[in-house]
Every structure is written in C-alpha cells, then in structure tokens.
Amino acid sequence: MKVAVVGSGPAGLTCAGDLAKKGYDVTVLESKNCENLGYDWHDALEMSAFTESGIPCPPDTMYTPGIPQVFTNPKATVKIPLPFIENDGFNMDRKVLINYLVDCCLEVGVKFSFSTRVIAPLTAGKKVIGLRYEKNGRVVSAFSDLVIDAAGMKSPVRTKLPSVCGIEKELKEADVFYVYRVYYKNSTGEKIDPPYSIHLFHLNRPGIDWFITEEDRCDILVGKFGSEGRLTQEEIDMSIKDFRELYPFMGNEIIRGGQSGVIPLRRMLPLLVCDGYACVGDSAGMTIPLNGCGITLSMKAGRLLADARTVSSLRALALALPFISVSTKIFACSRCLSQLVVCTMTPSTPQREALYRRSAAPFSSRSVSRVFRVRKLEPTVVAPTEMPRKTVTMFIRPFWTVS
C-alpha cells in the first residue's frame, strides 16, 4: 500500500515512520530542501512525545531541561508562577528535532522527496487518490492509496479538497495566532527569576508575548490573536523596545531567528479523515489553544493515526470473514503488515489453527496455492449480517500465484 505524507513536520514524520515499520510504502513530500528543515527556534515538548510514539528518545546532548514559567500582567507588575515539575519537559532546537526524526524515518525505510511543491490533491468524487506536485520544474501527478496531510495550517491539500469530503478547508482569522520570534544576545549573562516570563496582553495588545533568558541570549516571542488583525512591524518594534527597557541586559545584536509564522489557536477540526485522506498536526489544528504549542500532541496523534490505519485494515478483514468460503483462511504477512492476504488452502482444522499461530511469523509460500490481497474494504461498510457474499468478492483480486 502506497502512502504519501505531505510535509516533514513532527506529526507527519512520526506517522510516516510508524507506518513504514508496519510495512507500508511511505514517501514524504517536502517543499524545502533537506538542509533547510524546521523553524529557526527552540520548542518545549515532553519526553512522552517520543516514548508514546515508539521513537527512540534523543540523547540528552540534543536538548536542555525545561525551565520555570511565570504569567505576567500587561504592565508587568503582577506575576503568577506556574507549577514546575523537574524533568517533566525539555527544550529542543526545532531544526535538530526535525533532522532527528528524519534520520529515524530513514532507518525504517521511509523515502523522501525534498524540494517538492505539492499543488493539489487528485480526487475522484469524494475520494482522494493521489497528489499533483511540482519538482524540478515539472508538474507530476502521482497516485497513492492514502494521503496524509501534515502540510500545516495553510495546507495545499486540505484547502483544495472537494466540499463533498466534508473537511473544513479554511481557518478563520479568529482561529489563528500570528507570531514573531527572535533571539538577541544577552550582553551580561544575567537571568530573570524565573527565566521564562509570559506577558499576557503585553502593552494592551490582544495576544501573548514572552521573554526567556539564557546565559548567552534572550529569546523573545511577540504574538497577536488573529481576531484582532495581523501582527504589524510597528507592534513588534514596540514590544521589543519595552522588553529592552524592562530587561537592560538585552543586547542589540540579533543572533538567531527573526522569523514570522502563523499557527492555529483553536480546537481540533471536527472531521479529520475522508476516503483516502487524513490530516494531522497543524493541518488538523492540533495545538494547545492557550499558547499554540502542539509538538507533543501532534507526535502522539501521528502515532495514533498510524495505529488507526492498521487497525482499520484488520477490522475490514474481520468483517469479511463470514462471507469468505470455508476453504479460505486468513493470513497476515509479517514482512508487510499492511498487506492483508487471503490464502486458499485445504480446509482442515489443524491447518487452520497452524495458520493463525503463524500469523506473526515470517511469510512462507510453500503451503500457499493462491494469494489474494484485500483492497479498499473499509471497516464501516455494513454489518456482516447485512452484507451479501458478492459484495466481498468485489474487493478481492488476484495478487500472486505460487507454483
């Protein structure tokens, strides 16, 4: 089964790696080149993003421990500290994180197509059957069994789906958060206590700013709710000027960042899937509505999506069981768990029991006379008692013959 993952963010890469482990033929299409992946800033996330996603935890040289936080009122006169638990979270460079996840994906067989600009989905009615993309100046149409949309809030896939798919295509201005992130040199090495200060409605602007101090730099974010319009350069300059007055050790030299971005700041989309399509991460609005942080949630969601794809395939086969002849037994090839096959064998009880015992063993063709692959049988078709036998046979086609 061919799976196309659009976008190499944390959610898409987590899902791609897990599907590849399960035997799917996975290709990630990314608009940027391999040297320019990820935002030029750090992110806070939890180790559970890796442990619950089946990804090896990164070495501790790749991240720094989490730091205490405090909420500050618009005039910076009142501070409310947040509960802080040691070793509950950490900060990791986004570029380092993305490259680490790419390496994990390559190890399990995921293929990558960098510098590939996805233009739109290929559809047949309300089914997504592939993608149209541009690479090296050529426009290509490629078919796939499943498209996973991890291309972000303004995804060229989700925004161009047919209305009949029922998936929300455009996010409203009230659903987004405009941000600017920059790192200035810390001229003295001084730190504020606690080092992470979150300013609510800073300078009475509807939004969230923060000021984080480290020994060598000052990490500044300026954010504005989309419901109040886009973030302007004047508003950015005013916030930075005020921070410089509040924290005199903040230097004038920009050492990193200086990037603007837009992130979803809303509840998750009400519908995430249609036939041949699923969205995850920012494309699905998977963030914490209070601050827009969503890497931990998105990575866990990527794993859940991969698991759901496998479970739905197994359940689809289970629904078909009552309508497959007695001489047909079910066998799942362990080398490629996504390939669900039906093997015609002698209908004896010992053979049937042996077949089920071997369902997780390496594939053997010695006892198989003919193999079929079950295709496009969705788990929600009809209850077994209501499905006619001929309906199932429509989803089965010859796949391989063993002499």
PDB file of all heavy atoms in Angstrom, residues 10 41 55:
ATOM      1  N   PRO A  10       6.792  17.431  12.763  1.00  0.00           N
ATOM      2  CA  PRO A  10       6.838  16.342  13.751  1.00  0.00           C
ATOM      3  C   PRO A  10       5.713  15.324  13.592  1.00  0.00           C
ATOM      4  O   PRO A  10       5.950  14.122  13.707  1.00  0.00           O
ATOM      5  CB  PRO A  10       6.733  17.089  15.088  1.00  0.00           C
ATOM      6  CG  PRO A  10       7.283  18.454  14.802  1.00  0.00           C
ATOM      7  CD  PRO A  10       6.859  18.768  13.406  1.00  0.00           C
ATOM      8  N   TRP A  41      14.184  28.136  15.636  1.00  0.00           N
ATOM      9  CA  TRP A  41      13.931  28.439  17.041  1.00  0.00           C
ATOM     10  C   TRP A  41      13.810  27.151  17.847  1.00  0.00           C
ATOM     11  O   TRP A  41      13.859  26.050  17.298  1.00  0.00           O
ATOM     12  CB  TRP A  41      12.706  29.325  17.218  1.00  0.00           C
ATOM     13  CG  TRP A  41      11.370  28.808  16.713  1.00  0.00           C
ATOM     14  CD1 TRP A  41      10.821  27.588  16.932  1.00  0.00           C
ATOM     15  CD2 TRP A  41      10.415  29.542  15.932  1.00  0.00           C
ATOM     16  NE1 TRP A  41       9.573  27.503  16.355  1.00  0.00           N
ATOM     17  CE2 TRP A  41       9.299  28.693  15.736  1.00  0.00           C
ATOM     18  CE3 TRP A  41      10.371  30.825  15.403  1.00  0.00           C
ATOM     19  CZ2 TRP A  41       8.173  29.092  15.013  1.00  0.00           C
ATOM     20  CZ3 TRP A  41       9.246  31.214  14.692  1.00  0.00           C
ATOM     21  CH2 TRP A  41       8.172  30.362  14.502  1.00  0.00           C
ATOM     22  N   ILE A  55       9.279   6.169  19.288  1.00  0.00           N
ATOM     23  CA  ILE A  55      10.502   6.729  18.721  1.00  0.00           C
ATOM     24  C   ILE A  55      11.582   6.715  19.804  1.00  0.00           C
ATOM     25  O   ILE A  55      11.313   7.104  20.946  1.00  0.00           O
ATOM     26  CB  ILE A  55      10.275   8.167  18.229  1.00  0.00           C
ATOM     27  CG1 ILE A  55       9.173   8.181  17.164  1.00  0.00           C
ATOM     28  CG2 ILE A  55      11.558   8.775  17.678  1.00  0.00           C
ATOM     29  CD1 ILE A  55       8.766   9.581  16.756  1.00  0.00           C
TER      30      ILE A  55
END
